[in-house]
Amino acid sequence: MMDTTDYYRQLGLRLGASLEAVKTSYRQLARQYHPDVNPGNEVARDKFMAITEAYKFLLTIAKPEAELEPVTASKKTVTSGSKVPQYQPTKVKITPKSPPIQFNPELTKEEQKIKENSYLELQQLLKYKRFPRAIALIEGLAQRIPHDPEIRQWQAISYQRWGRKLITEKQVDKARNYLKKALKTDPHNRALWAEVERDFRQLEKIY
């Protein structure tokens, strides 16, 4: 499942970059990959769509520079000659603890509440591998709130989880269909692509 880090990466930014940085990076990349500048170039078109999706999402969560937490002296500093530790992002997973629900200002209070309640129910359904019910729940939510990127992520991961379960049951065609639906639902999710590729390799072993 795609996490917030992936959206920042689409814009060439590290996790937690400021709102100003998000806007600046998007303007630069949009000028580079805009379809008008690259007529007939499908790679550039797909990149433009990906950075635009990331930009719209990050506008809802990125904080202005003035609101970011300053680096204090109590925090560990990097001395001269030492290596800068690589940031290891925590993957967002659907678990019973600490649901990573993002606030979407475009939703009404009622829609936000429906989203939160549906997420909690989805957690339980996936935990107990009740995949058909989980998919029915998330598809209904996606129809009611069609433009929320986080809901699209949940929908894609539900498809992928069900596809993986179908592989263990040797329902090859059905598994393949759900894995493809996962990628179609959230096509720019690199973490999801990695999981689905693993599933397809497992499918090949069945033949």
Side-chain angles (χ1 to χ4, degrees):
M1 194 173 191
M2 189 176 192
D3 59 22
T4 304
T5 306
D6 290 307
Y7 282 117
Y8 279 104
R9 286 175 177 167
Q10 288 286 356
L11 298 183
L13 300 171
R14 59 182 177 81
L15 182 66
S18 68
L19 181 62
E20 293 84 353
V22 168
K23 292 180 177 180
T24 299
S25 180
Y26 174 71
R27 284 195 295 267
Q28 293 173 346
L29 291 172
R31 284 196 294 267
Q32 180 180 352
Y33 293 104
H34 197 282
D36 291 345
V37 181
N38 303 275
N41 188 330
E42 294 187 2
V43 174
R45 182 198 62 189
D46 291 344
K47 178 65 176 178
F48 180 76
M49 292 174 61
I51 63 174
T52 299
E53 178 185 350
Y55 174 66
K56 289 180 179 179
F57 176 79
L58 292 176
L59 284 180
T60 68
I61 65 168
K63 295 182 179 180
E65 187 75 36
E67 296 181 13
L68 294 179
E69 181 182 358
V71 178
T72 62
S74 62
K75 294 185 177 181
K76 186 177 180 180
T77 57
V78 179
T79 57
S80 177
S82 62
K83 294 183 178 180
V84 178
Q86 294 295 317
Y87 173 74
Q88 298 295 329
T90 301
K91 293 182 178 179
V92 176
K93 297 181 179 179
I94 295 180
T95 62
K97 301 177 181 179
S98 61
I101 298 177
Q102 300 289 346
F103 175 74
N104 186 341
E106 296 182 1
L107 302 184
T108 64
K109 290 183 178 180
E110 179 184 4
E111 288 174 331
Q112 187 70 25
K113 188 63 178 178
I114 291 172
K115 176 183 173 182
E116 293 172 359
N117 290 339
S118 297
Y119 179 79
L120 294 175
E121 184 177 354
L122 182 64
Q123 286 181 300
Q124 295 302 310
L125 292 173
L126 292 180
K127 177 181 178 180
Y128 294 106
K129 300 182 179 181
R130 301 171 71 177
F131 298 112
R133 287 193 60 183
I135 289 173
L137 171 68
I138 195 62
E139 286 181 340
L141 183 63
Q143 288 180 356
R144 181 159 188 171
I145 309 175
H147 302 301
D148 187 287
E150 202 167 33
I151 292 174
R152 185 166 59 251
Q153 293 174 19
W154 302 344
Q155 186 177 3
I157 197 63
S158 297
Y159 290 149
Q160 185 269 329
R161 296 275 184 87
W162 182 217
R164 178 169 290 179
K165 181 65 166 59
L166 290 168
I167 293 173
T168 65
E169 298 174 356
K170 300 190 185 309
Q171 298 188 47
V172 176
D173 292 337
K174 193 173 181 180
R176 183 181 291 107
N177 288 338
Y178 274 100
L179 293 175
K180 288 180 179 179
K181 286 179 70 173
L183 296 180
K184 184 177 180 181
T185 301
D186 197 4
H188 303 299
N189 187 336
R190 287 178 290 180
L192 177 67
W193 273 89
E195 292 297 319
V196 172
E197 286 178 355
R198 185 183 308 166
D199 294 332
F200 273 120
R201 286 196 295 270
Q202 192 64 33
L203 267 177
E204 293 174 357
K205 295 178 182 180
I206 297 178
Y207 288 103

